[in-house]
Structures are given as C-alpha cells and as structure tokens.
C-alpha cells in the first residue's frame, strides 16, 4: 500500500482539492474495489500541522480542544515525552493531522523537529505561546517544584522561537509551495485584560523582540512564501463576566479551526 500511496501523494497536492483527471481513472477504479484503501487516501489528504512551542505553554491541551478530546488531568507537572499525533475529523472528509512536538529539550524533541520540518515536512505550523505564562516544569530527574518569573519565561519563549523559526525557514526555502504559520496566543484566560497587548507583542512589524524575529523569518523565507496569523485562544475559561467565559474560549478555538481550514484551502 505504501508504494501506491506515495504515488498518489506525489501527484495529488496534499491540500489541493482536485484529483487530476489522468490519475482519477486508474486509481479510483482500484479504490472502488478496496473501500478501506479509499478512506486511507483521504486520510492522507488531510493537511499535516506541526504544533510547536516551549514546554508548559499549552500545546497538548489546545490540540485536545481542536480535536475534541477531553484532556487527561494531571498534566501540570509533567510535559509530553513523545510526539503526539492527533487527527481532527469533520464532515465532508476534511480534517487535519496534528503533530505536537514536545517542548521539553529532550532527545525526543530533536527527533520530532526533524520529522515535522525535514523528513515529512508539514503543510503548516501552529506555534503556541502564552505571554510568559508557561507552566514551569522540572528538568527530568530532579525533584521539587519548578519556578520561574514571567520575564524568565518570556525569555525562554523567545529562545525557543529562535530555534523553531530557523527550522521553519530552512523548510520554507527548500520548497516551492507556500507554507503558513499561525501564532496561537493561548492561556488568555490568565491575562484577559492584556489580550490586545499580547497579540501585538507576537505580531509581525510590531517592533517587539518576538515581532522582530517573525520579520526576520519572513525575510529569510520570502514574504510571499510564508503567511503569518496571530490568533488568541484559551483552553481554560474563567467565570468572570469580563474575562474569558467558556463561551468566549470556545469561540476562539472555533475561530482558530476556521482559519486553519481557510489556510488549507478547505471551505
Ligand atoms: N489557565 C490556563 N491553563 C492552561 C491552558 N492551556 C493549558 N493550560 C495548563 O498549562 C499546563 C501545560 O499545558 P500542556 O498542554 O500540558 O503544555 P504543553 O505545551 O503540551 O507542554 P509540553 O508537553 O511539556 O511541551 C497544564 O497544567 C494545563 O492545564 C489555558 O488556556 N489556560
Ligand atoms: Mg504536551
């Protein structure tokens, strides 16, 4: 099956909707005889999305929200050890395959970065940030609660973004078709009053340390080749009326999903 699939993938742009007429005849006849292969073909058509960001920033929970999974409890002091693979399915066979790169600087992270940006390059990237509200995590093998100030966490986030943006740049220069990047500014329930400042801080052209690095990435990759969106989200909610209510949190996650669909050419 893998040979046939490779051939299909080579001819069929992963996020293109049209099945080439020359391809359709032969392949679809074969598929009619094997319905399970048919569903596999469409699964392979789902765009792949790398989800990156430093440890404790909220990647796993955000992707759980996007894929309708209930998050397992007790994730606060231990981060993800391996790359998580999640699929979002929706009607009309449209969906996404998410690859969540563990944020902790373990060997598994390096392998996961290689996989999503080199070995099986993704169609788009969600880089998750939380305006200095990442949950501090203990280094493996140590005990006691970890702690870090907001400034330290913002600095760590910027360093993490430097590494990831280099990987995105090298992927972008190697390929012809454009790629997209969404900066998902999460945990907004924790800084609802500063939401506009936070979005500005992560925006291209803002003159902030983070914005400057996005500008540098666009210059390196070629502006036309890389689209950048900055979208606020929350995986948790607060009851405060002027805060992030469950309804508002849900609407932000839905808006992110809608944007992903637009970027992937889904309608
Ligand atoms: N208040 C608040 N907490 C959140 C939100 N999203 C995640 N968290 C919490 O932040 C902590 C880290 O979230 P994870 O999703 O495990 O973080 P991660 O980015 O997957 O981290 P690694 O797996 O280590 O890379 C957990 O305790 C979550 O419950 C959010 O939107 N708001
Ligand atoms: Mg995780």
């Amino acid at each position: 099956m893998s040979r046939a699939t490779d051939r299909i993938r080579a001819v069929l742009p992963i996020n293109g909707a049209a099945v080439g007429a020359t391809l359709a005849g032969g392949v679809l006849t074969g598929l009619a005889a094997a319905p399970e292969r048919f569903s596999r073909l469409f699964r392979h058509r789902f765009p792949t999305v790398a989800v990156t960001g430093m440890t404790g920033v909220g990647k796993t929970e955000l992707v759980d929200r996007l894929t309708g999974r209930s998050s397992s409890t007790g994730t606060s002091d231990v981060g993800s050890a391996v790359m998580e693979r999640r699929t979002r399915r929706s009607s009309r066979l449209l969906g996404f395959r998410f690859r969540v790169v563990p944020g902790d600087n373990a060997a598994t992270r390096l392998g996961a970065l290689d996989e999503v940006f080199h070995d099986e390059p993704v169609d788009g990237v969600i880089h998750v940030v939380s305006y200095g509200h990442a949950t501090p995590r203990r280094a493996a093998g140590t005990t006691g609660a970890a702690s870090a100030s907001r400034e330290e966490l913002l600095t760590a986030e910027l360093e993490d973004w430097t590494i990831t943006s280099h990987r995105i740049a090298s992927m972008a220069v190697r390929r012809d078709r454009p790629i997209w990047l969404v900066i998902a500014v999460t945990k907004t329930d924790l800084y609802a009053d500063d939401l506009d400042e936070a979005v500005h801080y992560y925006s291209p052209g803002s003159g902030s340390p983070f914005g400057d690095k996005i500008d540098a990435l666009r210059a390196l990759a070629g502006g036309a080749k890389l689209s950048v969106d900055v979208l606020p989200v929350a995986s948790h909610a607060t009851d405060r009326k002027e805060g992030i209510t469950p309804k508002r949190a849900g609407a932000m996650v839905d808006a992110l999903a809608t944007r992903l669909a637009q970027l992937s050419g889904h309608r």
Side-chain angles (χ1 to χ4, degrees), residues 55-61 75 78-82 84 100-103 137:
T55 185
V57 81
K59 298 178 295 297
T60 298
E61 284 208 10
T75 53
V78 192
S80 308
V82 294
E84 289 151 342
V100 189
V101 176
R137 275 169 172 164

Side-chain angles (χ1 to χ4, degrees), residues 57 62 126-130 182-186 229-233 256:
V57 81
L62 179 61
I126 300 179
H127 185 76
V128 184
V129 291
S130 62
V182 173
I183 306 286
V185 187
T186 194
D229 282 81
V230 184
L231 291 175
V233 278
L256 172 61

Side-chain angles (χ1 to χ4, degrees), residues 2-266:
S2 69
R3 265 255 198 94
T5 314
D6 285 348
R7 210 176 53 224
I8 292 163
R9 286 170 82 177
V11 183
L12 189 74
I14 284 183
N15 48 5
V19 176
T22 47
L23 172 80
V27 173
L28 290 181
T29 317
L31 289 169
E36 77 282 5
R37 264 212 253 150
F38 184 75
S39 72
R40 242 183 244 145
L41 167 65
F42 280 97
R43 197 160 66 218
H44 280 290
R45 247 194 59 198
F46 285 177
T48 50
V49 180
V51 182
T52 54
M54 69 177 282
T55 185
V57 81
K59 298 178 295 297
T60 298
E61 284 208 10
L62 179 61
V63 171
D64 283 349
R65 287 291 297 256
L66 282 167
T67 55
R69 255 184 175 235
S70 52
S71 273
S72 50
T73 49
T75 53
S76 55
D77 53 338
V78 192
S80 308
V82 294
M83 184 145 79
E84 289 151 342
R85 294 160 197 272
R86 303 273 184 272
T87 303
R88 176 186 169 98
R89 292 171 203 287
S90 57
S91 57
R92 293 182 292 144
L93 297 170
L94 301 178
F96 295 95
R97 290 181 295 149
F98 295 101
R99 300 284 178 259
V100 189
V101 176
D104 201 9
N105 275 316
T108 49
R109 169 174 156 93
L110 299 178
L113 284 170
D114 278 347
E115 181 173 335
V116 299
F117 292 130
H118 185 272
D119 305 343
E120 294 177 32
V122 290
D123 298 293
V125 181
I126 300 179
H127 185 76
V128 184
V129 291
S130 62
Y131 208 34
H133 291 82
T135 305
R137 275 169 172 164
R138 278 186 274 116
T142 62
T143 52
S147 69
S149 69
R150 237 201 101 213
E151 275 65 43
E152 285 167 338
L153 290 170
L154 271 177
T155 304
E157 202 180 78
L158 198 61
E159 281 167 11
D160 172 79
W161 171 237
T162 307
I163 294 167
T164 302
S165 65
H166 283 165
R167 303 300 295 251
I168 296 173
S170 58
M171 177 173 77
V173 297
R174 264 192 318 243
R175 94 160 54 165
D176 299 328
R177 62 198 164 89
I179 58 163
W180 51 262
L181 164 70
V182 173
I183 306 286
V185 187
T186 194
K187 301 201 187 184
T188 54
D189 55 300
L190 299 179
Y191 49 92
D193 299 336
D194 302 329
L195 204 149
D196 292 345
E197 277 130 270
V199 169
H200 183 256
Y201 173 80
Y202 292 109
S203 295
S206 62
S208 74
F210 203 100
D212 287 351
K213 286 196 189 287
I214 294 190
D215 294 343
L217 167 63
R218 294 197 78 199
L220 208 59
K225 243 187 181 178
L226 180 75
S227 74
V228 182
D229 282 81
V230 184
L231 291 175
V233 278
S235 305
H236 293 195
T238 47
D239 292 331
R240 219 162 43 96
K241 253 224 320 265
E242 64 279 23
I244 307 294
T245 58
K247 197 172 156 198
R248 208 170 152 201
M252 288 195 285
V253 174
D254 290 346
L256 172 61
T258 302
R259 186 65 189 136
L260 295 185
Q262 288 169 345
L263 289 164
S264 307
H266 290 178

